[in-house]
Amino acid sequence: MDGISALGAGTGTAIHTLSDYRHHLKRNMIQALDTIQANQITTLLFVVSKLDPIQKTLGTDYVLPLWAIDPTASNPIRVSIYRRSVESMPDVRGPGDIVYFEGAKTGLKDGKCCVYNNFSTRWQITPIAKQKSTSRFNTAYLKQISNVSFDKFSDLLLEVLHVLPREQESPTYGGMMQRCLVTDYSENPLLTNTDIMDTRVVGSRAAWLTVHQIDKLNKMPTLVAGQKYWMRNVRGASSTRGLHLVLAPHTRFPRTIMVVEVEDSHPDLAPMMERRKRMLDSVGEGGQNTIAMECDVDGPMVSAHVAIEPVAIEPISKSPEHSKRTDKHVAWTSALVMPISTICSGYQLTTRFHVRAKISKIFPPTADQSIVSVCTSCSTRYDSDHPNVCLGCQRPDPLYREECQFMLELTDASAKCLAMSPNAETASKLAGHKLQTSVDSASVSSSAVHALRGVWAWVHARGEVEWINLLVAPVLVPGPGPTGTLVRCLIVADIAHPLPILT
């Protein structure tokens, strides 16, 4: 009789209490998890509480990490199953599977007892579900694109939208590389729209992915547009167009499988497919966002239906040629005015809107506090409690530059909303003066503060009575508190006319 079916057999009684469970384990010579110690050869019966993908070891073997639990254990115990090949692994399908191990070896890892197996270990698996699909893609490191940030690694479930041909890799990597446009239909404000692909994916949802040394990746499938993939250890990297994704072979475990093709019917894809459905429902058949709105144009509110074409706001360049105003730069002033309530309640992000509003408040309280030191790599603010490391990109001894950042409270007839002036270039448009801030020049920084004081004085004196025309875009920014939950905010991209400040 096998180990699982033998538990409690022939007694005529069912297992109702923990004492009954321990009794039947002892009767069948199975050890409870709360009694195991290091350096034992034992027989175990447990339930899988967590399962990681199969990994390649430093040698020639493969390991399947999982965590075991039973009624006697207060915390899960790590179990590492080693085999010569992936095919010879036990068919553990996911959390909830019942595993019977005979001849398992116990040891210590990081001061905690754990379980290994030798290659003569006998096992029996009772799946919690009979279907073939697994939950191996739902790892502890699985994230959405909305949670990806610079220089952080994540596992992602993605749909490929477009694939470019393979090309020669740079000397840094060698071999071949391939770029593709991917999405999981979640929004990330670090992404920018791309207008070179007709993908019907609107907002900050599509990202460019670069696969380095693609010819050296173990069991790398062919990337096909429309196919879904699970990708391991994808890194967020910065570029001139914002955030892009990078995938490369594992440096320590080059034989690790990094990309797996996922069938459309796989249950782990359900959240992504639901996000896709919501996006397509909001966009409509014509690929445009049709919004019923009310417009405030110095008079009564009038109803209108406007088709809004998604337009990306490109990252502000610091090169001199981009600081010049052009006809295209101010053409938005003839566009229809959008109520703030409509912008803040819509799905669309990083799409530019013309608003007519009053500046009811400005933050911080003084212009002097708007000059802040930010990291030159990721623009994270300097933290005096951690002077030797950037809390954004985690770089040691980072370089900092001075930047101008402040918040405006915009008010129209429909709602109030915070709007962010993200840098000195935007502040220059509001003040009507070229503001230059430099960490190396205290005099230049002082002159910028002097010019900004005029903005603060105008807001306090005239902000609640005068209407101004602004070009804004809704974005997601980290909210207050330790969790850093993303909240919706407006970002100021342009102003029709500088504030009438007396200098």
Side-chain angles (χ1 to χ4, degrees):
M1 185 176 293
D2 61 64
I4 294 179
S5 60
L7 188 61
T11 63
T13 59
I15 300 175
H16 297 290
T17 66
L18 184 59
S19 297
D20 293 340
Y21 181 78
R22 291 185 184 276
H23 170 74
H24 288 290
L25 287 181
K26 186 175 181 180
R27 181 176 179 275
N28 291 276
M29 294 181 289
I30 300 175
Q31 190 168 2
L33 290 185
D34 68 339
T35 62
I36 64 174
Q37 299 177 354
N39 301 319
Q40 290 181 325
I41 302 295
T42 185
T43 299
L44 300 173
L45 179 67
F46 57 83
V47 177
V48 176
S49 64
K50 180 182 174 183
L51 181 68
D52 274 359
I54 297 174
Q55 303 172 12
K56 188 74 169 61
T57 66
L58 289 175
T60 60
D61 303 327
Y62 291 83
V63 59
L64 173 61
L66 55 87
W67 279 258
I69 194 76
D70 75 354
T72 68
S74 57
N75 295 303
I77 295 177
R78 182 184 176 93
V79 178
S80 300
I81 304 175
Y82 292 90
R83 285 294 178 266
R84 299 294 186 192
S85 64
V86 176
E87 292 74 17
S88 62
M89 278 288 180
D91 187 22
V92 183
R93 300 182 180 182
D97 285 4
I98 301 173
V99 180
Y100 171 80
F101 258 1
E102 188 177 295
K105 183 179 179 181
T106 62
L108 287 175
K109 184 177 179 63
D110 299 328
K112 297 181 179 180
C113 192
C114 56
V115 178
Y116 302 90
N117 74 294
N118 54 47
F119 293 99
S120 61
T121 301
R122 293 180 59 245
W123 69 84
Q124 180 185 348
I125 313 296
T126 302
I128 190 64
K130 299 298 183 181
Q131 66 271 20
K132 187 177 180 181
S133 61
T134 72
S135 298
R136 290 183 180 176
F137 303 128
N138 192 18
T139 66
Y141 306 101
L142 183 66
K143 292 184 179 180
Q144 297 179 15
I145 286 182
S146 59
N147 298 321
V148 174
S149 57
F150 297 122
D151 293 325
K152 301 295 184 181
F153 291 87
S154 312
D155 295 347
L156 300 174
L157 280 168
L158 302 169
E159 178 179 346
V160 173
L161 303 173
H162 183 79
V163 182
L164 296 179
R166 293 190 182 188
E167 54 187 281
Q168 191 65 36
E169 185 65 272
S170 65
T172 304
Y173 292 94
M176 302 295 292
M177 62 171 284
Q178 190 168 24
R179 299 181 70 229
C180 57
L181 193 64
V182 299
T183 185
D184 67 354
Y185 300 99
S186 65
E187 293 184 290
N188 189 321
L190 299 176
L191 297 174
T192 56
N193 276 340
T194 174
D195 53 4
I196 63 173
M197 299 294 169
D198 182 17
T199 62
R200 296 187 68 193
V201 176
V202 298
S204 301
R205 292 182 173 94
W208 281 107
L209 169 72
T210 302
V211 184
H212 292 290
Q213 295 180 306
I214 190 170
D215 52 329
K216 300 180 181 179
L217 287 175
N218 187 26
K219 298 184 179 180
M220 177 66 193
T222 302
L223 297 178
V224 179
Q227 180 59 49
K228 284 76 173 178
Y229 300 89
W230 174 79
M231 298 189 181
R232 181 187 182 91
N233 277 13
V234 178
R235 179 172 64 90
S238 60
S239 69
T240 56
R241 293 184 60 85
L243 176 73
H244 77 277
L245 307 176
V246 175
L247 177 65
H250 201 292
T251 54
R252 291 186 58 192
F253 309 107
R255 300 300 297 169
T256 299
I257 298 175
M258 308 295 290
V259 181
V260 178
E261 187 174 313
V262 183
E263 295 294 331
D264 289 356
S265 58
H266 199 286
D268 286 347
L269 290 179
M272 183 177 76
M273 302 311 291
E274 178 61 27
R275 293 193 298 271
R276 179 179 185 273
K277 181 179 182 299
R278 288 200 304 266
M279 186 209 71
L280 293 178
D281 289 345
S282 65
V283 172
E285 293 299 327
Q288 292 181 338
N289 229 355
T290 303
I291 300 178
M293 64 178 190
E294 295 179 328
C295 304
D296 177 21
V297 190
D298 287 338
M301 303 292 284
V302 295
S303 298
H305 290 268
V306 180
I308 304 168
E309 182 67 24
V311 180
I313 294 181
E314 296 295 336
I316 297 177
S317 171
K318 299 186 180 301
S319 56
E321 60 269 21
H322 286 277
S323 62
K324 300 178 181 178
R325 299 177 67 86
T326 64
D327 292 340
K328 183 179 179 181
H329 191 67
V330 295
W332 59 267
T333 55
S334 60
L336 190 63
V337 175
M338 293 288 290
I340 291 178
S341 60
T342 301
I343 299 173
C344 294
S345 62
Y347 287 102
Q348 190 66 47
L349 293 177
T350 65
T351 299
R352 296 176 288 187
F353 297 98
H354 177 196
V355 299
R356 180 174 173 80
K358 302 172 184 178
I359 303 179
S360 52
K361 294 181 182 179
I362 188 169
F363 309 95
T366 65
D368 306 60
Q369 296 172 293
S370 67
I371 305 297
V372 296
S373 297
V374 299
C375 175
T376 56
S377 299
C378 66
S379 297
T380 301
R381 287 195 181 191
Y382 170 79
D383 190 330
S384 58
D385 295 332
H386 304 84
N388 298 323
V389 63
C390 173
L391 297 183
C393 60
Q394 302 296 319
R395 295 176 184 266
D397 299 323
L399 297 177
Y400 289 96
R401 71 173 190 276
E402 297 259 329
E403 190 56 271
C404 178
Q405 298 177 347
F406 54 89
M407 301 287 292
L408 306 173
E409 183 184 72
L410 301 182
T411 304
D412 68 1
S414 65
K416 291 183 179 181
C417 183
L418 290 178
M420 177 171 54
S421 176
N423 49 38
E425 184 168 347
T426 304
S428 299
K429 297 174 182 177
L430 291 170
H433 296 277
K434 183 65 177 177
L435 303 178
Q436 294 179 341
T437 55
S438 172
V439 73
D440 300 321
S441 175
S443 60
V444 173
S445 180
S446 298
S447 64
V449 171
H450 178 74
L452 287 170
R453 286 173 181 167
V455 176
W456 262 251
W458 183 89
V459 171
H460 293 152
R462 305 289 302 168
E464 293 187 351
V465 296
E466 291 198 20
W467 294 84
I468 60 173
N469 292 282
L470 294 165
L471 182 68
V472 300
V475 296
L476 295 176
V477 297
T483 58
T485 304
L486 294 179
V487 297
R488 187 176 291 262
C489 174
L490 299 181
I491 185 170
V492 177
D494 199 4
I495 185 171
H497 302 286
L499 302 177
I501 300 170
L502 296 178
T503 58

